[in-house]
């Protein structure tokens, strides 16, 4: 049997254990401490370009998960029970679940075909329709940069500004991606990062909320640490959460920051290698960023679409052939409006995400893959075409 090729494995740079050791040596084995502070500072510098951006900077709060960051982001945007929140349908369930945690109502919006992210035309249609139906504006908009590809942020932000609805940007998959020279995570009022095991960098599990200023970051920290009022005893006037990142996890994150650029470069090289190796193969298309230089994806995962009429095989044929060769792959995210749990949520669609879900596949893309691994993946698919023709 061939050795297993995984979709996206974590890769340690080497300094992670040094920072964990430091936490043990100084007895900072708690959900705060020097690693947490240093990791936050380093993320902030990465996003803002060392604080030199003209955006008045950002303040990053490290949390136990990206999902926790989405939850706190919605709380800080004052989303309450019964409010509507617009969310990209084509995404991982973690983008939408926190809306339900607050007993608010998700309203799903389909994608456009260029970036696979929120369709600005449908977004505006959804806003107008919700206002007509309920007499109330949606409380927030959650666009996602799926698979690392930045969404059409100029158009989305213009609509958000026009209707004065804040944006909670889900940048969980897009650390290091840029749109018009600006990093993903810098576009929304708030933005969410994830450091789960399969993401661009990992803390084993973790996330962060990117806040617009120190005050809002302070609010996020307050809610993330059980909402304690200022008092010598434990006093609470709000419901709090236990969402802070531990100093051990942050040690891993600090170490990972040293290999972040390397990871992004490798994922981009892997995408380009796939694109090159698939050249001329009928019916198989590698998802690539729109031309013109506005979109710079980190290519977290390289995805293909299979036109079965041209290819002579289906997406599912590809997945099963790869599996038989001990290669992990996965269909694209199943859109939220097709998920049983969100069956009753309003949806504004154009067929894009449903179609992509049927014909799309994520290929192995982790930084530990070799060029030979990539060639093996492509050869399995090439052989499928040979057998069929
Ligand atoms: C991973 C992911 C999240 C959630 O992050 P966790 O750290 O796993 O909680 C949210 N949104 C998207 C699009 C993701 O891919």
């Amino acid at each position: 049997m061939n050795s297993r090729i995984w979709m996206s494995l974590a890769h340690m740079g080497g300094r992670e254990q040094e920072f964990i050791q430091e936490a043990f040596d100084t007895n900072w084995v708690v959900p705060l401490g020097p690693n947490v502070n240093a990791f936050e500072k380093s993320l902030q510098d990465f996003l803002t370009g060392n604080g030199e951006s003209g955006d008045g900077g950002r303040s990053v709060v490290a949390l136990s998960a990206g999902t926790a960051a989405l939850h706190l982001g919605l709380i800080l945007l004052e989303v309450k029970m019964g409010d509507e929140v617009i969310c990209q349908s084509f995404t991982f369930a973690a983008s939408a679940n926190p809306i339900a945690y607050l007993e608010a109502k998700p309203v799903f919006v389909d994608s456009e075909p260029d970036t696979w992210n929120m369709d600005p035309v449908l977004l505006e249609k959804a806003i107008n329709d919700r206002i007509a139906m309920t007499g109330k504006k949606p409380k927030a908009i959650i666009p996602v940069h799926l698979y690392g590809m930045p969404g059409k942020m100029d158009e989305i932000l213009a609509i958000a500004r026009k209707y004065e609805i804040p944006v909670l940007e889900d940048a969980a998959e897009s650390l290091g991606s840029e749109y018009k020279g600006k990093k993903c995570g810098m576009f929304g009022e708030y933005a969410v990062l994830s450091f789960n095991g399969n993401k661009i960098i990992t803390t084993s599990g973790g996330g962060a909320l990117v806040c617009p200023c120190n005050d809002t970051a302070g609010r996020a920290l307050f809610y993330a640490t059980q909402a304690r009022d200022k008092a010598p005893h434990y006093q609470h006037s709000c419901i709090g959460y236990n969402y802070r990142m531990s100093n051990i996890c942050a040690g891993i994150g600090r170490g990972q920051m040293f290999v972040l650029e390397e990871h992004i470069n490798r994922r981009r090289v892997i995408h380009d290698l796939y694109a090159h190796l698939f050249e001329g193969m009928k019916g198989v298309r590698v998802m690539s960023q729109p031309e013109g230089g506005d979109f710079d994806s980190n290519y977290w995962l390289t995805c293909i679409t299979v036109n079965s009429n041209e290819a002579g095989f289906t997406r599912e044929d590809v997945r099963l052939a790869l599996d038989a060769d001990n290669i992990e792959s996965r269909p694209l995210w199943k859109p939220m409006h097709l998920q049983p749990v969100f069956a009753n949520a309003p949806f504004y669609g154009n067929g894009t995400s449903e179609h992509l879900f049927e014909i799309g596949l994520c290929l192995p893309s982790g930084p530990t893959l070799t060029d030979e691994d990539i060639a093996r993946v492509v050869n399995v698919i090439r052989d499928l075409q040979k057998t069929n023709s």
Side-chain angles (χ1 to χ4, degrees):
M1 193 62 169
N2 278 328
S3 62
R4 181 81 169 156
I5 298 181
W6 299 94
M7 288 254 301
S8 183
L9 284 187
H11 169 256
M12 293 298 115
R15 297 196 60 184
E16 291 83 359
Q17 294 203 10
E18 191 185 308
F19 293 117
I20 293 176
Q21 190 61 49
E22 194 178 292
F24 274 80
D25 292 346
T26 54
N27 207 24
W28 279 102
V29 187
V30 282
L32 78 165
N35 281 337
V36 178
N37 299 337
F39 184 42
E40 288 174 341
K41 171 77 171 62
S42 148
L43 285 167
Q44 211 163 291
D45 288 348
F46 177 78
L47 289 177
T48 60
N50 298 313
E52 284 161 16
S53 100
D55 295 281
R58 287 290 196 281
S59 195
V60 176
V61 179
L63 300 168
S64 55
T67 311
L70 278 151
H71 190 184
L72 291 188
L74 291 173
I75 289 171
L76 292 173
L77 292 174
E78 295 179 18
V79 171
K80 303 257 161 55
M81 189 173 142
D83 287 338
E84 291 193 331
V85 174
I86 293 186
C87 183
Q88 183 164 321
S89 182
F90 197 32
T91 185
F92 177 44
S95 306
N97 283 339
I99 302 169
Y101 299 170
L102 293 166
E103 295 184 63
K105 297 178 188 162
V107 172
F108 293 112
V109 167
D110 214 339
S111 293
E112 40 76 20
D114 302 338
T115 70
W116 296 0
N117 291 311
M118 188 178 275
D119 184 328
V121 177
L122 283 178
L123 169 63
E124 184 156 25
K125 184 171 169 226
I127 294 171
N128 281 318
D129 196 58
R130 296 327 294 169
I131 295 172
M133 298 270 291
T134 68
K136 256 174 56 178
K137 277 192 304 195
K139 216 45 191 288
I141 303 168
I142 306 179
V144 187
H145 310 293
L146 216 59
Y147 304 116
M149 186 70 67
K152 294 190 171 169
M153 293 317 289
D154 274 358
E155 289 88 337
I156 291 171
L157 292 178
I159 294 163
R161 269 193 296 269
K162 177 173 168 191
Y163 294 90
E164 298 181 314
I165 302 173
V167 167
L168 173 58
E169 181 190 359
D170 185 342
E173 300 177 0
S174 58
L175 186 61
S177 300
E178 292 185 9
Y179 173 73
K180 297 195 173 176
K182 187 158 139 181
K183 292 254 175 358
C184 288
M186 291 289 292
F187 291 95
E189 262 76 6
Y190 291 89
V192 167
L193 309 176
S194 168
F195 316 113
N196 205 336
N198 58 350
K199 298 285 161 73
I200 290 284
I201 57 167
T202 185
T203 58
S204 72
L209 185 65
V210 184
C211 301
C213 61
N214 290 334
D215 283 356
T216 43
R219 293 298 292 163
L221 193 58
F222 168 79
Y223 283 111
T225 54
Q226 310 285 21
R228 275 186 72 188
D229 296 340
K230 279 206 166 53
H233 52 277
Y234 278 80
Q235 168 144 325
H236 308 272
S237 355
C238 311
I239 297 294
Y241 302 86
N242 183 6
Y243 278 171
R244 192 68 165 136
M245 180 178 280
S246 93
N247 198 50
I248 300 295
C249 294
I252 306 175
R254 261 181 101 175
Q256 289 270 284
M257 288 308 283
F258 290 94
V259 288
L260 171 56
E261 297 281 6
E262 197 181 300
H263 281 190
I264 295 168
N265 289 338
R266 181 64 193 151
R267 289 194 192 248
R268 286 177 173 155
V269 166
I270 286 172
H271 167 273
D272 293 351
L273 187 56
Y274 273 123
H276 174 67
L277 293 173
F278 277 116
E279 257 168 39
M281 201 186 298
K282 277 181 297 189
V284 177
R285 201 182 141 251
V286 176
M287 169 54 166
S288 297
Q289 61 207 13
E291 310 257 305
D294 287 351
F295 298 84
D296 199 7
S297 175
N298 65 13
Y299 285 115
W300 173 54
L301 296 181
T302 295
C303 306
I304 56 169
T305 52
V306 180
N307 178 330
S308 55
N309 290 332
E310 289 176 20
F313 50 80
T314 64
R315 186 283 310 280
E316 201 50 14
D317 294 334
V318 176
R319 195 185 67 77
L320 293 172
L322 291 173
D323 190 51
D325 204 65
N326 210 14
I327 298 169
E328 186 187 28
S329 69
R330 192 165 301 135
L332 302 185
W333 297 123
K334 180 170 182 172
M336 289 307 109
H337 72 275
L338 299 179
Q339 298 288 354
V341 73
F342 293 123
N344 296 325
F347 169 61
Y348 295 85
N350 55 19
T352 300
S353 62
E354 279 171 44
H355 184 57
L356 287 170
F357 173 58
E358 269 170 29
I359 65 165
L361 191 70
C362 305
L363 297 179
S365 311
T368 56
L369 296 179
T370 63
D371 290 6
E372 290 69 33
D373 291 332
I374 304 302
R376 199 179 117 200
V377 173
V378 176
N379 281 333
V380 169
I381 303 174
R382 197 175 290 285
D383 284 348
L384 210 52
Q385 200 144 51
K386 279 191 203 132
T387 343
N388 284 9
S389 59

